[in-house]
DNA sequence: CAAAAGTGATAGTAATACTATTATATTTGC
DNA sequence: GCAAATATAATAGTATTACTATCACTTTTG
């Protein structure tokens, strides 16, 4: 793993500036050559996000991507073993980015309830604005996570890939959330299941909103964030002042 | 749609016998020729379930299936347009089977809370025993639903396929559950989202149990059923006697 | 300035996801 | 009982996919 470089500045201008100094850490075995290390690598990542969003992961090929970035299929294979590995890269990047926001949003927040509120917001919200400081379009990447994330682990190779550490970032996000849940109500018996339900369930609600609107209440007026905040508040005994 | 033939006998010997008289209804456009109408069709369905479970849907091909049942690839194409349509068939069958159990389990139950309890049990439990009255192995099919169901709708064609009615059965299961939720607590604002979260979330918890055990509490001692029953009880204001 | 590393172009392979055609076997309707 | 219809099997063929391998060329770097 590349170590996250946390430049903790005294006068932070905001997350956007901070993020431009921060390298999102992705498990190293996922790629052959770090796409962040070259111009071509960055263009592969940038345009793979756009192309997967456009035609879907199933129709996506390295040949088509090559055509789009004016490069060759064989060059892309020098960065990633397969399109599956590229998806693992993109999803790991996304969850590392979410994790960063979660840590940032809950850091120095004294009240555990407030921490939980903010953490749920971070993992359940729809990304609507591109940070625009990197080559990665987070709005589009968020859509890809909603539409394709499950495919990265619903394979016959999950267990071996899990051993290789390809899903650590995702699991860490869920674990952080479950710890916050545990801080709010240590008597609650299922903090991990609740956390994983919120993270994955929120992706699902976003999907339903867009495609199966008849089986969700989320839509114009209600967001998945509201639904899961309401749910969590009811499930946990939130002590009125759960100060750190 | 083929109409469900509900033989409501006066002396019901149990669900198993009833099921052997019942034809599970699958939207007709999913198949070219009804696999229930011939011996070959039934063998296609029976062994596709076993083969998908064995090698995974991604590696599954009609050629391999043909080899397994001593038939020809081209003959299988006479029943299903594509392996995607076959998956839609299997998943529709599964949800129709679950729907049937849900209706059966809640039928004539006077108390709404009891209805909810039973409905959640039906949609969240792991199938451990094969009914063994049909060619369909429900234990194995349940595993396929856990591992492959998302792939049936996470496609670029969802919207058009949804219009064709390929997902009606699933949506009906969620809607039935959300109606029961609504009966228990009509003040609750998100019955559809809660219902869809229970149905899909339970599949997810079963998956985590098997592959990412560190981010779920479900395992040896705790079942997804317990988790979601506990959650639902807390989320809803269950009036002590919500009689019909 | 030479070696190394990165990129591009081309070719080739086995498998996939089909379609089309023809032959043969089985069922059915009169 | 037999012809017609239907079902199944066998074979061949297509475009595409998901790669691997090789070689040429260009850029970087020690």
């Amino acid at each position: 793993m590349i170590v996250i470089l946390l430049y903790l500045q005294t006068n932070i201008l905001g997350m956007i500036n901070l993020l431009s100094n921060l390298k999102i850490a992705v498990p190293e075995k996922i790629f052959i050559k770090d796409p962040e290390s070259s111009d071509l690598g960055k263009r592969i990542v940038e345009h793979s996000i756009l192309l997967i969003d456009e035609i879907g992961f199933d129709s996506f090929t390295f040949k088509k991507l090559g055509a789009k970035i004016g490069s060759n299929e064989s060059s892309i294979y020098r960065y990633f073993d397969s399109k599956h590995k590229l998806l693992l890269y993109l999803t790991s990047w996304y969850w590392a980015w979410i994790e960063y926001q979660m840590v940032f949003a809950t850091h120095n927040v004294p009240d555990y309830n407030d921490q939980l509120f903010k953490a749920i917001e971070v993992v359940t919200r729809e990304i609507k604005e591109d940070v625009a400081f990197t080559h990665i379009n987070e709005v589009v990447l968020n859509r890809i996570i909603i539409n394709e994330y499950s495919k990265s682990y619903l394979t016959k190779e999950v267990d071996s890939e899990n051993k290789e550490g390809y899903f650590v970032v995702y699991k860490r996000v869920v674990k952080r959330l479950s710890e916050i849940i545990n801080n709010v109500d240590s008597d609650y018996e299922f903090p991990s299941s609740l956390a994983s339900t919120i993270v994955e369930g929120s992706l699902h609600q976003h999907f339903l909103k867009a495609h199966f609107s008849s089986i969700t209440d989320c839509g114009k007026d209600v967001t998945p964030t509201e639904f899961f905040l309401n749910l969590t508040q009811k499930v946990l005994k939130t002590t009125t002042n759960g100060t750190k």
Side-chain angles (χ1 to χ4, degrees), chain A:
Chain A
M1 294 279 293
I2 298 163
V3 173
I4 291 195
L5 308 164
L6 262 179
Y7 292 104
L8 284 172
Q9 299 156 323
T10 37
N11 62 334
I12 292 167
L13 290 171
M15 205 169 62
I16 293 165
N17 280 348
L18 223 178
L19 264 174
S20 60
N21 286 336
L22 218 170
K23 191 177 177 200
I24 294 286
V26 167
E28 286 202 333
K29 280 187 177 173
I30 289 180
F31 48 76
I32 300 171
K33 184 185 170 175
D34 186 357
E36 286 296 316
S37 71
S38 75
D39 187 66
L40 178 63
K42 285 175 199 160
R43 283 170 59 232
I44 288 172
V45 170
E46 178 182 1
H47 288 90
S48 68
I49 292 170
L50 302 176
L51 189 55
I52 291 171
D53 181 56
E54 191 185 326
I55 65 175
F57 184 69
D58 298 340
S59 300
F60 171 86
T61 68
F62 281 180
K63 197 168 191 173
K64 290 175 187 169
L65 177 59
K68 221 164 202 195
I69 62 176
S71 177
N72 199 276
E73 201 189 353
S74 60
S75 303
I76 302 167
Y77 274 106
R78 295 233 170 68
Y79 287 83
F80 296 101
D81 270 330
S82 61
K83 71 173 185 169
H84 176 246
K85 286 285 185 77
L86 171 58
L87 182 62
L88 288 175
Y89 179 88
L90 297 178
T91 57
S92 286
W93 193 98
Y94 178 82
W95 292 117
W97 181 66
I98 291 288
E99 181 186 25
Y100 171 74
Q101 288 175 72
M102 205 169 121
V103 172
F104 189 85
T106 56
H107 183 241
N108 278 339
V109 173
D111 187 80
Y112 285 141
N113 291 320
D114 292 345
Q115 275 188 19
L116 181 57
F117 181 94
K118 292 188 177 198
I120 290 178
E121 253 221 296
V122 166
V123 296
T124 62
R125 72 179 159 210
E126 185 187 343
I127 313 299
K128 283 180 178 166
E129 273 175 65
D130 181 13
V131 169
F133 268 83
T134 63
H135 50 289
I136 293 180
N137 185 321
E138 289 89 4
V139 176
V140 181
L141 182 54
N142 178 232
R143 276 205 298 268
I144 291 180
I145 298 298
I146 291 168
N147 294 314
E148 322 283 0
Y149 182 53
S150 308
K151 296 174 191 170
S152 75
Y153 58 81
L154 295 179
T155 68
K156 276 281 162 185
E157 297 80 32
V158 221
D159 294 334
S160 63
E161 293 191 345
N162 188 28
K163 270 188 191 159
E164 295 288 322
Y166 297 170
F167 304 102
V168 273
V169 191
Y170 176 66
K171 291 192 291 183
R172 221 161 51 212
V173 167
V174 174
K175 277 174 200 164
R176 281 185 193 277
L177 182 59
S178 94
E179 271 165 40
I180 297 173
I181 288 169
N182 195 251
N183 287 339
V184 169
D185 181 359
S186 58
D187 290 336
Y188 181 60
E189 296 144 289
F190 319 109
S192 296
S193 286
L194 180 58
S196 50
T197 298
I198 293 169
V199 175
E200 144 71 24
S202 133
L203 297 180
H204 190 59
Q205 291 298 313
H206 281 293
F207 182 86
L208 296 182
K209 206 175 85 182
H211 303 288
F212 297 146
S213 57
S214 68
I215 54 169
T216 179
D217 300 291
C218 299
K220 270 194 171 181
D221 303 323
V222 179
T223 61
T225 305
E226 281 174 75
F227 166 62
F228 282 108
L229 272 177
N230 173 289
L231 182 139
T232 307
Q233 273 163 0
K234 287 178 174 169
V235 167
L236 301 181
K237 286 196 313 261
T238 59
T239 53
T240 36
N241 192 0
T243 309
K244 235 177 187 173

